[in-house]
Amino acid sequence: MSDLFMGISPAIPVVLAGLLAVILPWHYARKVLMVLSPLAALFLLLITPQSGVYGVVEMAGLSFETYRLDNISRVWGLVFIIAAFLNGIYAWHEKDRMSDPSGLIYAGAGLGAVFAGDLLTLFFFWELTAISSIFLIFASRKGEAYRAGLRYLAISVLSGVLLLGGAVMLYNTTGSWAFGGVGDVGVFSIDTPGGMLLFLAFGIKCAFPLLHNWLQDAYPKATATGAVVLSAFTTKLAIYALARGFAGTEILIWIGAIMTAFPVFFAVVENDLRKVLAYSLNNQLGFMVCAIGVGSELALNGAAAHAFVHIIYKGLLFMTMGAVLMRVGTTKASHLGGLYKSMPLTTVFCMIGGAAISAFPLFSGFVAKALTLSAVLHEHHYIPWLILVFASAGVLEHSGIKIPYCAFFGHDGGHKVKEAPFNMLLAMGLASFLCLYLGINYGALYNLLPYAVEYQPYTYDHVVGQMQLLLAALFAFTFLMRFKLYPAEKDITILDTDWIYRKVLDGAARWSCAMLDRLGGAMDQGWAGLGRTIRKGLFNLFSPAGSFARDVPSGIMAVWSTLLLAVVLIVAYIYAS
């Protein structure tokens, strides 16, 4: 039986389920597809006995490798399947014909890109993730969501265009479309034009500094379930592409370090808790990017482990905020508080997600982040290591403390609401279980990683050092809150570097358009005046009362004839000489 399905990419059943969901009118039929198709993908992954290239399709003289399985694609493929399954359970209650197929096709496209063995196949699924995911933003059916979705689509398509351009340039240079061989990592160089285009393409979707605003712009405007789905695939797909294509590229160490640090300051003052999570996502991606830049086996294991657990606990945090949005109608911190009374289980799950992302011992974030920090320190990158340590404390402040405190505790917002629906609680419960299970039985996580792991996270020095860091962050938050030094939650818009194009460039464009309109009006007036002058001159010459109709004395005509003849003679003399 298994031989019949051998070589079929796990992406296929998920994408097909999404296409079928487009035409299915029955709500529960679509929901069944959302739960069963990831299980079908898992079956296809498990029956593949060993690493290799499968599902090769020959078309138009090109060879498309649709299913390349190795140690690194297996990790990302498995966690993408888990995320798709949890998302299907979480969205079971939602009756939206736009979100269901979009979420399925998006998840399937992410799987297809992870298992792509060549750059053309990668490009196809890369663009499919962009096109399918925008409907998760549009599904909120608000004007600001449509505008954010269009901006998100423009940035995503730009990333794809750069990817295709880089692939073509590399093909012209090397004669190959390959995206690394089985087990190969770090196969591209930013010193070549094609490699640089690929680097930028991956960097846009990875939300590099100054290229990150699409994330904070779009994710908080998606639906309650849409933000959960969005948090899982796009940026982690970019991390996978960087790990396979640019491992050991040293500039990534500094890019990653910056990514971990700058979101902390924005998250502290941001009022929208889903936007806080979006900044936190930037922060966590920075750890993975930094590890990829180091490029050692320990560091790449750290990036893979961090991506695996991050998809789960960040999805859990977005799930809790999605439940709050569904019941209360907002995730603005200034409007929340006291929800632990009405939503006690959601409160517990949010605190588990906060503990996991903050890397508390016994939680998944602790055993994953330890690999990256150890790898960076082992390779003597001391300044980036210090930045990562600072950023680790910042994670606890904004994701581990601020979100649970502002949403469920703090001042009482007076909301008397129901607990989240059962399917939401089930999905959050499963994610919470994985956060704890992988933190305690870390061997199960380490056995999935691309390289053999000989590392013990629960050493005395590491546990004590991490607890000291966490307790210091807890003390700082308590101190600032007690003496009212912590930034007050205000319902205002915090502008990031998007201020450049939201204000400066927008103002410059509007001014330019106004000046062009004025210039066009002046030119229209000038042409109109010139036309009137010409018409008047012609009228004066050729009308019955004009100059040509008058009687002219013969003497005057003789003078003009003499002058014209003189001019003709002078010109003829000059050319004759």
Side-chain angles (χ1 to χ4, degrees), residues 499-518:
W499 182 84
I500 296 173
Y501 60 82
R502 291 286 188 91
K503 293 295 182 180
V504 177
L505 294 183
D506 179 70
R510 291 178 184 275
W511 180 85
S512 299
C513 290
M515 290 299 102
L516 287 174
D517 287 341
R518 294 179 63 179

Side-chain angles (χ1 to χ4, degrees), residues 14-369:
V14 185
V15 173
L16 290 179
L19 295 175
L20 183 59
V22 173
I23 60 175
L24 281 178
W26 305 291
H27 163 66
Y28 286 111
R30 298 195 302 270
K31 297 305 180 183
V32 169
L33 286 177
M34 294 183 70
V35 174
L36 292 185
S37 59
L39 296 179
L42 179 62
F43 170 75
L44 293 175
L45 179 62
L46 294 178
I47 65 172
T48 307
Q50 57 187 2
S51 299
V53 177
Y54 308 91
V56 178
V57 178
E58 302 289 342
M59 185 183 301
L62 298 172
S63 180
F64 299 92
E65 299 177 1
T66 63
Y67 187 17
R68 186 260 313 278
L69 182 66
D70 56 18
N71 289 339
I72 189 170
S73 63
R74 183 181 285 108
V75 178
W76 263 268
L78 178 58
V79 73
F80 275 13
I81 291 171
I82 293 173
F85 178 73
L86 292 177
N87 293 339
I89 296 175
Y90 184 78
W92 185 273
H93 68 283
E94 190 177 55
K95 298 180 181 180
D96 193 321
R97 294 194 64 178
M98 184 185 293
S99 295
D100 294 345
S102 176
L104 280 170
I105 296 174
Y106 179 40
L111 282 169
V114 163
F115 291 119
D118 63 274
L119 290 171
L120 290 179
T121 305
L122 176 68
F123 166 74
F124 171 78
F125 286 111
W126 195 270
E127 290 292 70
L128 186 58
T129 61
I131 296 171
S132 59
S133 59
I134 60 169
F135 295 101
L136 297 169
I137 305 170
F138 290 162
S140 64
R141 294 174 174 82
K142 296 178 181 178
E144 61 180 8
Y146 283 114
R147 292 188 292 272
L150 291 174
R151 291 190 292 267
Y152 170 85
L153 178 62
I155 293 295
S156 298
V157 170
L158 172 62
S159 173
V161 170
L162 292 174
L163 170 56
L164 181 60
V168 170
M169 294 181 73
L170 287 171
Y171 176 78
N172 289 334
T173 303
T174 65
S176 172
W177 298 103
F179 186 33
V182 176
D184 291 344
V185 294
V187 294
F188 301 125
S189 171
I190 60 174
D191 295 330
T192 63
M196 177 55 73
L197 288 181
L198 288 183
F199 187 77
L200 291 175
F202 299 161
I204 288 174
K205 281 209 173 185
C206 195
F208 279 2
L210 303 182
L211 303 175
H212 66 281
N213 297 116
W214 61 266
L215 199 158
Q216 287 77 30
D217 182 28
Y219 283 19
K221 296 180 179 65
T223 62
T225 58
V228 177
V229 182
L230 288 169
S231 71
F233 300 107
T234 296
T235 51
K236 263 64 69 181
L237 172 58
I239 290 293
Y240 165 81
L242 284 173
R244 180 172 290 283
F246 293 96
T249 303
E250 191 168 350
I251 192 174
L252 288 174
I253 299 174
W254 294 100
I255 292 175
I258 294 170
M259 288 176 68
T260 63
F262 83 86
V264 173
F265 302 100
F266 288 100
V268 167
V269 297
E270 178 58 51
N271 188 40
D272 187 337
L273 296 183
R274 290 207 299 174
K275 198 167 184 179
V276 172
L277 287 177
Y279 277 116
S280 174
L281 205 160
N282 271 120
N283 166 277
Q284 295 291 289
L285 292 171
F287 285 90
M288 305 173 211
V289 170
C290 191
I292 293 169
V294 173
S296 64
E297 291 188 0
L298 180 61
L300 293 177
N301 278 340
H306 205 150
F308 194 100
V309 301
H310 174 263
I311 288 174
I312 297 170
Y313 61 62
K314 183 51 64 79
L316 172 58
L317 288 169
F318 269 106
M319 286 178 188
T320 61
M321 291 301 101
V324 170
L325 179 64
M326 176 186 175
R327 291 307 194 199
V328 182
T330 182
T331 54
K332 297 290 183 67
S334 56
H335 300 160
L336 298 176
L339 287 176
Y340 75 94
K341 302 173 185 177
S342 302
M343 308 178 72
L345 292 177
T346 303
T347 303
V348 172
F349 295 143
C350 183
M351 294 179 69
I352 291 174
I357 196 173
S358 302
F360 272 89
L362 303 181
F363 290 86
S364 57
F366 177 80
V367 299
K369 193 176 293 184

